[in-house]
Amino acid sequence: MADEGYSSTAWESTDNPDPNASQTPYYGLFQPNSPSLIHESATAPALSSLPVKPSSPPPRSSSDSLGRSSSSRWRDSVPVTIERKDTLSVIPSDAISLVETNFDENVLRVLCELDCGVPLLLDRIKQSMVSCREASVFFKKRAVLEDEYGKSLQKLARTTSEVYSMNDGKAGSFVGAWQSSMKIHEVMAENRIRFAQRLNEMSDELASLAKEVDKNRKQTKELASRYERALQESELNMEKSKNRLEVSSEELERVLLQKEGESLKDGGLQAKNQGGVAGKRALGKAVAKGGLLLKGKNPGNIQRQEDDIRTRVSNASDLYRKALTDTQAMRQEYFNFQLPRILRALKECADEIDLGTQYHLTRYAFLFESIVLSDGSTLVPVAPEDGIGLKSTIESIDNRADFKIYMQNYAYARGGAAPRGPRREGPAEEGFLPPLPTHGGGAYSVHTNAPVGSSHNSQIPDKGRPTFGVDLAEQMARDNVELPAILEKCCTAIEKHGLQSQGIYRISGMARKVASLKERLDKDIDSVNLDSEEWISDINNVTSVLKMWFRELPDPLLTSTLHQGFVEAAKIENDRLRHIRLHERVNDLPDPNYATLKYFLGHLHKIAEYEADNSMSIQNLAIVFGQTLFGQMIPGNGSFSGHGNGGMADAPFQNKAIETILDHYSDIFVDEAEVGA
């Protein structure tokens, strides 16, 4: 580092009175084995507001630096203060940690060694501001498009729904599916409007970030310019002092030559000045200033002139020596202290805008991905409680049933009216034929209006021991069992026929089949054979019924009392501590809930072992059963239900809790004695 900037030979060429001072390296701030030049008593006020990173070297005393007493002159010559604002303050609180806490000192060292370090960083910050503003403009324009699309789609869906209700369109299952599809479009439109709002916020934050960085850049640039001008003025003053000393020395030499009676042409002065025009010019100045030297050769006058010139030479030498010392001290302070701090401030400013821009672009990518996934989950819901999706809604239209109902209503509405057109019946003598015999009710019988599937279930006797919507502890006490019968029955069938079924538990069954199976299980669970072809042909019907049973429990399986405890434990970032806290919450469950949870999670653990076949990992199962096992709080009354929407904020933590418990199933539920057995 010693041969960077101003070398020691530069000091020797200027007659440095203190040869040891030339050995001080100018980038001593970054010497690995030497202390820093930064000291609390010598810190310039102009940079007092600039943050000093904890990674900076330790301070040292002012005696370790040459000419530290001149620092007050430096500071007085540059009375500039700079107020830096935290430009990342415009970014949400979850992004403050983006700025690296460990500053890269190697980069700063290289910047200090470059002659173009300051303009390099200034130009880099300008590039970053252009990129930041471009991203801000893109977000703003994208927000306009998304907002226009969302509002137009929302208006179209609402208008279409209202217009259809006033028109004479088809009724029955078609109108229900049509209105449901319009609701789905409204949900997608609301998602787009919220996405546009987030884009507007991000655009404004990036614009504020660029504005603050531009302000800090200009302030730091002005500060660096003032320091450079002050150093240049000091070097210019030193050069002037050197010239005055040379002129005075020339005058003294001429007087000495005059005193010795030597001629100007034969003296050493003539030989010295033969080297070039500069020497003649200097001698001319000496002659001009000391004109009396040519006007009389009185020894007394010459002696007085010699004394006067010697005094001037001494004064000029002192001034030059002082200017040289001050310039050296100022130069060392600039290169060792002020320049590194300015470069650090500019580098941090560049890092702030770069990281801020990258954060918002990452946030945009996440939001964009989320909105696309949200549209996908709206069109094809994962859980049955979220609806059946657009395709299933359209497929639920039963044109035959609608037409049958229409026939019934039409015939009933016109039953008392006088027939129009030819008569159907009449006396045989008038040529009417007898009516054709009927052979049972056809598919379009006007008098048949019983719902499909209800005739078979109506034949099943109701034993008065319902399964759905009954408290877990009451069920188990009533049936005198250690596990709910429906849980064992369904899990056994699923493990027998559905372990390798693609998307098991994620794909829902057919709504009518699920409703029929639920009704039969609720009336007489013992009479239902889940191994029959009717149910194993689509095992998703069984999984949907089991999930429905969990959702319809009056108190969720993990209980409303312990709900907050599970959520708080799931928020812990440390994996080991989260596992321990969730284990404690599981142990706090009532005995019926604990036994049911242990059996069911063991079943899910077995499902996850076949992930290669069914694509259901522990994480996927946790997403499916997070809200199912926890329930969702209904806003207003604080109760829990599988159909509320007020607990969506806790959904990620509910999923995390189930995922952690499943990951550590053996540690939480399986005893060493059971493992040995």
Side-chain angles (χ1 to χ4, degrees):
M1 297 275 235
D3 24 29
E4 293 293 334
Y6 294 87
S7 62
S8 59
T9 57
W11 299 124
E12 294 170 0
S13 64
T14 55
D15 298 327
N16 183 8
D18 187 2
N20 296 328
S22 63
Q23 304 302 322
T24 304
Y26 289 101
Y27 303 119
L29 178 63
F30 306 107
Q31 293 296 326
N33 298 322
S34 64
S36 171
L37 289 174
I38 302 175
H39 191 269
E40 291 296 330
S41 61
T43 303
L47 283 174
S48 60
S49 60
L50 292 179
V52 179
K53 291 287 182 178
S55 58
S56 299
R60 73 178 184 185
S61 63
S62 58
S63 61
D64 293 334
S65 177
L66 176 65
R68 297 297 291 174
S69 60
S70 63
S71 62
S72 60
R73 177 174 177 269
W74 174 279
R75 292 191 293 270
D76 295 339
S77 64
V78 191
V80 180
T81 59
I82 177 172
E83 297 180 358
R84 297 192 69 244
K85 296 182 178 179
D86 186 5
T87 52
L88 280 180
S89 62
V90 298
I91 299 177
S93 58
D94 58 346
I96 297 299
S97 61
L98 280 176
V99 178
E100 299 175 356
T101 56
N102 51 341
F103 191 85
D104 193 349
E105 298 293 345
N106 293 327
V107 173
L108 185 59
R109 183 182 297 111
V110 174
L111 289 173
C112 289
E113 293 173 356
L114 293 175
D115 295 334
C116 58
V118 173
L120 181 149
L121 286 175
L122 291 174
D123 291 342
R124 179 61 177 177
I125 294 175
K126 286 179 64 177
Q127 289 182 347
S128 298
M129 288 192 299
V130 171
S131 302
C132 181
R133 291 191 176 108
E134 285 296 324
S136 175
V137 172
F138 171 75
F139 290 160
K140 183 68 70 174
K141 292 182 178 179
R142 179 69 191 273
V144 172
L145 293 176
E146 293 291 342
D147 187 66
E148 182 180 357
Y149 170 73
K151 290 181 178 178
S152 299
L153 182 60
Q154 186 181 57
K155 181 179 179 181
L156 174 64
R158 291 178 178 176
T159 303
T160 302
S161 179
E162 294 173 358
V163 169
Y164 189 86
S165 62
M166 294 184 293
N167 289 338
D168 190 16
K170 293 200 301 181
S173 61
F174 180 86
V175 67
W178 181 256
Q179 297 295 347
S180 297
S181 65
M182 293 300 106
K183 290 292 183 182
I184 291 175
H185 284 80
E186 284 190 42
V187 171
M188 296 173 62
E190 291 172 358
N191 291 338
R192 292 289 176 171
I193 294 174
R194 285 196 295 269
F195 181 44
Q197 293 173 352
R198 296 294 182 273
L199 289 177
N200 274 320
E201 294 172 2
M202 292 162 57
S203 175
D204 295 340
E205 289 170 2
L206 280 180
S208 300
L209 175 63
K211 183 178 179 181
E212 289 296 332
V213 168
D214 188 30
K215 178 181 177 182
N216 292 336
R217 174 186 173 276
K218 291 179 179 178
Q219 289 179 343
T220 309
K221 179 181 178 181
E222 181 182 359
L223 182 63
S225 300
R226 288 178 180 268
Y227 282 139
E228 291 175 0
R229 286 197 300 269
L231 180 58
Q232 292 171 358
E233 290 174 1
S234 177
E235 292 176 344
L236 182 61
N237 291 335
M238 183 189 70
E239 190 66 27
K240 290 181 179 178
S241 299
K242 180 180 178 181
N243 292 336
R244 284 195 293 268
L245 177 61
E246 291 177 350
V247 170
S248 300
S249 299
E250 295 288 347
E251 291 183 17
L252 178 60
E253 189 173 356
R254 182 172 178 80
V255 168
L256 293 177
L257 291 175
Q258 193 78 359
K259 183 177 180 180
E260 295 175 2
E262 297 178 5
S263 67
L264 295 174
K265 296 181 180 180
D266 299 331
L269 182 61
Q270 179 181 3
K272 182 178 181 180
N273 290 336
Q274 287 178 355
V277 181
K280 295 179 180 180
R281 185 181 295 112
L283 180 60
K285 292 181 180 179
V287 173
K289 290 188 177 182
L292 294 176
L293 295 175
L294 303 176
K295 289 185 178 182
K297 299 181 180 180
N298 188 311
N301 291 338
I302 293 176
Q303 185 62 39
R304 284 194 299 273
Q305 291 174 1
E306 179 184 351
D307 295 340
D308 181 54
I309 292 174
R310 284 184 182 278
T311 302
R312 292 207 305 268
V313 169
S314 177
N315 292 337
S317 178
D318 293 340
L319 289 175
Y320 172 63
R321 190 179 300 274
K322 183 177 182 302
L324 179 62
T325 304
D326 290 347
T327 302
Q328 289 175 351
M330 187 177 295
R331 187 181 292 118
Q332 286 189 358
E333 184 172 357
Y334 174 73
F335 285 103
N336 288 339
F337 178 64
Q338 308 295 355
L339 180 61
R341 297 196 69 177
I342 290 173
L343 292 175
R344 179 185 290 272
L346 290 174
K347 185 62 172 65
E348 289 178 348
C349 200
D351 290 343
E352 284 178 348
I353 190 169
D354 289 342
L355 292 172
T357 304
Q358 183 181 9
Y359 163 75
H360 282 289
L361 290 174
T362 305
R363 184 182 174 194
Y364 164 74
F366 171 76
L367 291 176
F368 192 19
E369 179 183 349
S370 300
I371 195 67
V372 173
L373 292 176
S374 177
D375 287 347
S377 61
T378 302
L379 294 173
V380 186
V382 177
E385 59 267 21
D386 296 333
I388 60 174
L390 183 60
K391 181 181 177 183
S392 299
T393 299
I394 302 303
E395 290 176 348
S396 66
I397 298 175
D398 191 343
N399 290 317
R400 299 180 65 180
D402 290 349
F403 187 70
K404 182 170 62 176
I405 295 174
Y406 176 73
M407 289 172 60
Q408 294 175 356
N409 295 336
Y410 194 91
Y412 177 79
R414 286 163 174 75
R420 291 181 296 178
R423 290 189 301 167
R424 182 180 300 274
E425 297 177 357
E429 57 271 15
E430 294 183 9
F432 287 95
L433 297 175
L436 296 174
T438 59
H439 302 281
Y444 292 93
S445 174
V446 177
H447 303 286
T448 304
N449 54 9
V452 178
S454 63
S455 59
H456 179 69
N457 288 347
S458 61
Q459 300 175 1
I460 300 176
D462 190 349
K463 291 190 174 183
R465 298 172 63 184
T467 302
F468 290 82
V470 181
D471 183 76
L472 181 62
E474 293 181 8
Q475 286 188 52
M476 297 171 64
R478 179 195 66 192
D479 300 335
N480 193 22
V481 292
E482 296 182 357
L483 290 171
I486 186 174
L487 181 65
E488 288 188 294
K489 197 177 192 71
C490 292
C491 289
T492 301
I494 293 168
E495 292 177 7
K496 188 182 298 184
H497 306 289
L499 285 178
Q500 298 179 349
S501 177
Q502 187 70 221
I504 188 72
Y505 280 117
R506 179 174 58 83
I507 300 176
S508 303
M510 295 179 61
R512 273 186 280 179
K513 283 282 189 180
V514 172
S516 175
L517 179 58
K518 175 190 173 183
E519 183 180 358
R520 296 174 64 176
L521 290 171
D522 214 23
K523 288 184 176 181
D524 186 4
I525 189 172
D526 297 329
S527 65
V528 180
N529 180 18
L530 295 181
D531 293 328
S532 64
E533 184 63 27
E534 181 181 6
W535 307 120
I536 65 174
S537 61
D538 187 0
I539 199 66
N540 295 318
N541 294 326
V542 181
T543 60
S544 298
V545 166
L546 184 57
K547 288 189 290 183
M548 187 180 298
W549 176 75
F550 277 115
R551 288 195 302 271
E552 293 187 5
L553 288 174
D555 190 33
L557 180 62
L558 297 179
T559 73
S560 57
T561 305
L562 297 176
H563 177 271
Q564 194 59 32
F566 276 104
V567 171
E568 294 299 328
K571 292 180 181 179
I572 299 174
E573 296 184 0
N574 183 276
D575 293 338
R576 178 61 180 166
L577 184 57
R578 182 173 64 251
H579 165 211
I580 293 172
R581 293 292 177 263
L582 287 172
H583 193 171
E584 293 173 353
R585 300 291 81 77
V586 169
N587 290 339
D588 292 338
L589 287 170
D591 291 343
N593 300 65
Y594 181 88
T596 303
L597 181 67
K598 177 181 178 180
Y599 181 86
F600 183 62
L601 291 189
H603 165 71
L604 294 184
H605 197 268
K606 186 176 297 184
I607 294 288
E609 292 177 353
Y610 289 82
E611 177 186 355
D613 299 318
N614 55 38
S615 301
M616 292 302 291
S617 62
I618 288 180
Q619 184 179 13
N620 292 339
L621 291 171
I623 293 174
V624 173
F625 283 99
Q627 299 180 23
T628 300
L629 300 183
F630 275 99
Q632 296 182 13
M633 182 175 292
I634 300 177
N637 57 8
S639 62
F640 282 77
S641 172
H643 305 283
N645 294 321
M648 292 302 295
D650 293 336
F653 304 112
Q654 295 172 353
N655 299 344
K656 191 64 178 179
I658 299 299
E659 180 181 351
T660 303
I661 296 173
L662 271 175
D663 273 333
H664 302 280
Y665 173 80
S666 299
D667 298 334
I668 296 176
F669 292 106
V670 181
D671 298 333
E672 295 182 0
E674 296 180 11
V675 174

